[in-house]
Amino acid sequence: MAQFYSPKRRVTTRQNSPVLTLTVDNLDPFGQGVAHHNGKAIFVPGVLPGEQAEVQLTEEKNKFAKGRLKRLLSRSPQRVEPRCPHFGVCGGCQQQHADESLQQQSKAAALVRMIARETGVTPQQEPVIAGPQYGYRRRARLGLLWQPKQQRLVMGFRQAASSDLVPVTQCPVLHPELEQLLTPLRSCLSALQVARRLGHVELVLADNGPLLVLRHLDALKEDDRQALQAFARTKNVTIYLAPDSDSLEKLCGETPYYQVDGLRLDFSPRDFIQVNDHVNQQMVAQALEWLSIQPNDRVLDLFCGMGNFTLPLARRAAAVVGIEGVATLVANGQYNAHKNRLNNASFFHENLEEDVEQQPWAAQGFDKVMLDPARAGAAGVMSHIVKLAPERVVYVSCNPTTLARDSKVLLSAGYRLARVRMLDMFPHTGHLESMALFINGSAPEVAAK
């Protein structure tokens, strides 16, 4: 998610502030309308570009303010009815009131503005990589809370800017196979003897069916285990038990896996996998195209996870080396490489925020580099990428601020920013994901499709 203003400055809350009549002229990636008054930007959730509204200021800072919608005076043709009954209370989605094109256009434009402002290079806007707007999430974590006065178990997501739970019976952004589990799962968990001592439940949709991970604070008695197994049989669900943050016990079911580029990747329920399968498939295909892998290429995959890019790359290159800081992901990457008979893929467990020059992979040479860092970006490894002088670099980013920062290192070293595409990985939310191609020197660009 991009940050377009500093959250650390002192906030002044205005008491009995006047109501302003404002016209919103833009939408930020968080889904907030942006209006202007007396030269100051005012952010107003729930108002779309072109709409006029009565707004009461709630916070003021030096360069911007925040407001609360009191009354909508005009309606944008791009306003739509949110599909979720919990929208506006649940903190999961921020933009269900805006149509698909407005959401994507606003995020893509924000990405271009951010990169242009930080680097001086204005990338050409390209088609957004997108999938279904609803039913796309194959992973979710729901909080569990026993309410003693009501004698009931609440299962739901957090409210916006709050730790309170919103009880949910529907979640249209969840894959239908997971959404249809919500009501029967809450009923099952409510009937357990340990219902008062549950922490949360994670739902994951693997290609071979749904699974859940139940965090329980007390040991489960045999009756509870049998009740969960009966639920698993009825709903065809794999169940894992998590008595603490480190332990995981498979109660019943199959080992989960997902497929990408014709490969099968087994994973543990706690492993990171991309939430949006439709976008992930397109993203991997786009990275392979941009890198233009040749049979003799040696490819470096930084922040590789368990091989989402590494293994598809290994199908095309002479050798691929994946670097990852989480040991379990490295082990799963090695396992999946062996299972898919990809003997040219190797993995190293290393912290890429430390001195990478001393790490064993760093002395090797590479023709192409792939990286997919976390929100903090890849500051610790950018200078070494320059030292390796690969022909092409593909950078997948979940934070345009750090993408812009890291881009400057490559641009200063003579690379050119050849392509940028926005990834609509999380429709209806403030997450802005993207991917960029950098080409060294006079190497030919990839033709746009």
Side-chain angles (χ1 to χ4, degrees), residues 200-212:
H200 61 260
V201 61
E202 296 180 62
L203 298 177
V204 184
L205 183 62
D207 282 6
N208 55 331
L211 65 94
L212 67 85

Side-chain angles (χ1 to χ4, degrees), residues 111-365:
L111 173 66
V112 169
R113 286 197 307 269
M114 174 75 74
I115 292 176
R117 187 178 71 215
E118 295 298 320
T119 68
V121 177
T122 302
Q124 179 182 351
Q125 285 206 20
E126 299 198 31
V128 172
I129 293 177
Q133 291 293 290
Y134 287 94
Y136 68 84
R137 284 197 70 102
R138 61 177 173 182
R139 183 169 213 143
R141 175 169 168 168
L142 297 103
L144 299 171
L145 176 67
W146 180 262
Q147 294 181 326
K149 290 184 178 180
Q150 294 85 355
Q151 288 292 294
R152 68 168 184 170
L153 180 70
V154 174
M155 183 177 80
F157 298 114
R158 303 293 174 187
Q159 289 187 24
S162 170
S163 60
D164 293 339
L165 284 182
V166 179
V168 297
T169 56
Q170 301 175 51
C171 180
V173 298
L174 271 183
H175 192 285
E177 284 192 58
L178 299 182
E179 186 186 24
Q180 68 186 11
L181 290 175
L182 293 177
T183 297
L185 176 59
R186 194 196 71 82
S187 297
C188 171
L189 298 180
S190 297
L192 298 180
Q193 297 178 49
V194 78
R196 293 165 177 77
R197 296 286 292 163
L198 298 176
H200 61 260
V201 61
E202 296 180 62
L203 298 177
V204 184
L205 183 62
D207 282 6
N208 55 331
L211 65 94
L212 67 85
V213 180
L214 179 63
R215 177 75 170 93
H216 54 96
L217 307 179
D218 288 347
L220 294 184
K221 295 183 179 179
E222 185 59 30
D223 287 350
D224 283 352
R225 286 175 170 267
Q226 291 181 8
L228 289 169
Q229 288 172 334
F231 176 83
R233 287 191 298 272
T234 302
K235 300 299 181 182
N236 194 27
V237 177
T238 294
I239 295 183
Y240 288 80
L241 303 176
D244 54 56
S245 58
D246 297 321
S247 304
L248 200 61
E249 173 197 349
K250 185 164 71 173
L251 180 67
C252 55
E254 303 176 353
T255 298
Y257 69 85
Y258 76 93
Q259 294 177 299
V260 62
D261 192 46
L263 301 165
R264 169 175 163 160
L265 277 67
D266 290 6
F267 65 93
S268 165
R270 283 182 169 157
D271 289 345
F272 172 80
I273 63 170
Q274 293 288 355
V275 163
N276 190 323
D277 179 55
H278 292 276
V279 172
N280 184 56
Q281 300 289 339
Q282 297 177 72
M283 176 179 70
V284 171
Q286 183 67 94
L288 294 170
E289 178 193 331
W290 280 0
L291 285 170
S292 186
I293 303 299
Q294 303 303 309
N296 293 327
D297 280 344
R298 288 180 49 80
V299 185
L300 176 64
D301 185 8
L302 300 168
F303 310 94
C304 69
M306 64 177 193
N308 189 57
F309 292 102
T310 320
L311 301 187
L313 287 167
R315 296 183 70 190
R316 296 158 174 81
V320 182
V321 175
I323 316 299
E324 170 57 45
V326 179
T328 54
L329 293 178
V330 171
N332 280 350
Q334 293 169 332
Y335 172 81
N336 283 312
H338 175 74
K339 190 167 184 177
N340 286 283
R341 299 180 180 178
L342 295 170
N343 298 323
N344 60 336
S346 56
F347 293 81
F348 289 83
H349 175 215
E350 299 288 349
N351 185 349
L352 292 172
E353 295 179 357
E354 295 179 349
D355 183 6
V356 298
E357 300 286 342
Q358 304 304 314
Q359 295 175 9
W361 61 270
Q364 301 181 29

